[in-house]
Amino acid sequence: MAVTKEEKYPSPKRFDIADIQVSRESTAVKPKIVANMIKRAKRPLLITGGQLLKDEKLVDFAVKFAEKGIPIAATAGSSRPLIERGVRPISKTYTLHQITQFLQDEEFQGFDGQGNYDTVIFLGFLPYYLSRMLSSLKHFTKITTIAIDEFYQPHAKFSFTNLTKDRELYHSMLEEVLQNL
Amino acid sequence: MFELKKGAFVLDELKNVSIRIGRVVEEEEEEWEEAGPTPKPGILELRKWDHTLLERYEPFYAPMQDFCNLCTMGPCDLSMNKKGACGIDLKTQKARLVTIACCVGASAHTAHARHLVDHLIEEYGEDLPIDLGPDVNVEAPVMRTVVGIKPKTLGDLREALSWAEKEIVKVLHSVHIGNEESYIDYESKALHVSMADHVGMEVADIAQIVAYNFPKAEPNTPLVDTGFGIVDRSKPTIVVVGHNVMYARPISDYLEEQGRIDDFEVAGLCCTAHDMTRYNQKAKIFGPIYYQLRVIRAGLADIVVSDEQCIRADLLDACKKAGVPLIATSDAAARGLPDVSDWPVEKIVDALVSGKLPGVFLPVPEKVGQVAPLVAEAVFRKHGGERKYRFFEDDSAFREEIEKCTQCMNCVFTCPHSLRVDQGMAHAQKTGDVSKLAKLEEICIACGKCEQVCPKNIKIINVIMRANYDNLYNKTGKTRVGRGPIQDTEIRKVGQPIVFGQIPGVIAAVGCINYPDEMKSIVEILEEFLKRRYIVVTSGCHAMDIGMIKDEEGRTLYEKYPGNFDAGGLVNVGSCVSNAHISGATIKIANIFAMRPLRGNYAEIADYVLNRVGAVGFSWGPYSHKAASIATGFNRLGVPVVVGPHGTKYRRAYIGKPWKKDRWWVYDIKTRQKVFIEPAPDSLLVAVETKEEAIVQLARLCIRPNDTSAGRQIKLTHYIELHQKYYGDLPDDWHLYVRSEADLPLKQREELLKILEEQYGWKIDWEKKKIVEGPIRHYDAGFNPTIVEEVYEKYTRG
Ligand code: SF4
Ligand code: SF4
Ligand code: SF4
């Protein structure tokens, strides 16, 4: 179920108004759907970004994802707060740019050698930086990409709407994803 | 014997026939070095090198749009790799766009060089010798290597220029519809034209150094004032902006001649400012390109003189609104203004001072030199010497502006940095405290996009600047004047430690100012490396911003670290065109330290740099096309480049896959074998998100296959330490770089050996504390790597 004209969720508007002529736009989704997609995934991967260094709350949520058994590839230094909280990311050194390149290779066997990932979830990125990586994955792979940042990401396959205005709603949505995992 | 000389000849017997002899090739010049395989290369000559590089460093594409609308068959939907009406697929179309971007960048520098060289030859004659100081014998390393010439005079530069111009046109031709089918070949063309860019830059900087007597490879150039608060506001102020000092220089000449230089302030923005300070150290640097609207709206300028590149396209409009007259000088940016070249000086001055014309186009440098000061003085007097900031009339107007905000967030959704203007406004509305808005000033690039979408017409830039008024107005710093090339003697001294790895790396921070973070992040990143005794080199906008940030004791990095090209040195080479001295320095290491011949020998030199010289480019805030071609030119030379997050918008990167073991190999000239190696460096162009990530990536990309044990140990120590400091743990890939126990950091040796045994299954002889089995390869002191077949054959022959 995509987000429709429901009161609760703000509209899926592009975060950068001039950004992107998009042929296939992301489906804005509710937390439950996100949880279901992650549950259905054979090889899910959560990639965390540099905004975890600025936002303690995001670290809390990433830790909870790890506790639910989702492997984390930490980028941009986001491994540090996670390690401090006892999480062991499966990748720490590579940038999102590099990981996106790896994901596009059919021979990539994942960070554990068990095979490539079919569903990748993104948390804690600068919106414009993530947008480019999602675009790359959209055009050149079949991977299901799910953006759970506070910005609507038009290039993702699935994305939250724009939640920047209502942080509480955003956090409650992340909470809901986790509860349903 | 009849000897041909330069000039025009009329042969009596043949009427109406004249012969012009251009350059007379002198024998001596032919003999300076044996010509290598690729002098004046065309698109194909280095294609093999490119393909070798690109097989390892695979192009990565991140499209901005799913559509293409480059021609009238389109627009075409290229999403999910559909093809356009012309038959092109998405990757190839993106590679074509990158090629176009690199052509734009290369032509910006090369046209700038052409402008300068033609003008300077007229002024100084073509025989003006190229003398870059007593310690610079390898005067033009890029030209020597690429073009295969050793220029001796200003006139000789034309040969290199003609080559570059020809190549740029050829590459540009290839982006027309129905040309190239392969994205790899487009990349090869992008690499080619970007190599030409470095030739263009070298020509431009050498020409201005010799003609204008800029510092010649001097490490201890003076410090000049930098920042928003540098000018004495009781003097008329002339603001120059752009990238070609040719038009601004006569201003300081005229004022010096009149003995009035101290009665004026001559301050600039962007690279013209850089180069003005190289010409006359009384000139000052306001800051980089994004200070344009700030300076103009603040009412700091009495006249603005623009030339070419990196100038706002609404400069005239901005000047008009602030009542500041504008002189446009370059044919690259005539700004719709009337050409007043033939007018007498008085008439031009009168038109500008009276406001009859808001600006003029005056492409005559000498006249600009006279007009600008006269206008500045008159305008200054007109205002009664009264210089008020003009962001807002008074405090209450400022408050009223803030009150207008409804937190609709249109600005946030338009801002390139997604700055939370709404939150700053809301906080100020509620509490009266503008500190949240003030904080935005450090990231805001004053682009003005937000103002256009604000339904309340709030002057957001002014609000942000006013909120940080005290800091902004008191911002002063020091920038070391651009020194130009690196001395041969400096290269001789550091060549070995760089190649062997005892100097852990050279970090070259160059490019624009689209930082994802506060400006001070660039200083934080670079100081980490300066303290660790890397060599840090800088130029352009990055070099200016470094000069604006002070530590607690009020000192800038330029005051804390020396300007020589040595461990722990902070070297400002100069403006954007001075970047050629950075690529030139890596070439000089191959030549002066390793005695590799340069003449037309590009692939061998680039291969040398890739395998041995631990240099990494860094552009924390890239955005211009020039930055794209500069970086791509470094890539072809085997220098990896790390860019900030906005760099992903170039759409293309070169990222290797360290887990693909068969991609990482070299020929070892010593053992005459193909050897599998560690993935070092594993990317040629990669974007990072945070300053922490920038630091770690820069350190890891300094590692080279040819490091000695001592060198590898030092590089690995820094990499591991930085990774632990910023990422909280050991790197994922540190073991890949270990060839023997001697490569391991001393302090952690035992602990790391244990990890190698337990986690990676290596065999360790614990008695001898030796690695017995495990590494990708073992260390061999005579290891002599190359990935170029011809180089391998050349050195294994006989
Ligand atoms: S250049 Fe090709 S892809 Fe682009 S609009 Fe024209 S036909 Fe379509
Ligand atoms: S002027 Fe500053 S706040 Fe406005 S859009 Fe540009 S960067 Fe953002
Ligand atoms: S666009 Fe204007 S009114 Fe809307 S949040 Fe930004 S400053 Fe306020």
Side-chain angles (χ1 to χ4, degrees), chain B residues 687-706:
Chain B
V688 293
E689 190 188 6
T690 60
K691 55 182 183 238
E692 292 79 5
E693 189 164 48
I695 290 170
V696 174
Q697 290 301 322
L698 287 168
R700 73 191 281 278
L701 291 175
C702 285
I703 297 173
R704 290 294 176 280
N706 198 56

Side-chain angles (χ1 to χ4, degrees), chain B residues 405-411 421-422 425 454-456 458 460:
Chain B
C405 176
T406 58
Q407 281 84 50
C408 70
M409 283 181 73
N410 281 342
C411 50
V421 176
D422 63 319
M425 297 273 191
C454 176
K456 296 289 172 187
I458 299 175
I460 299 174

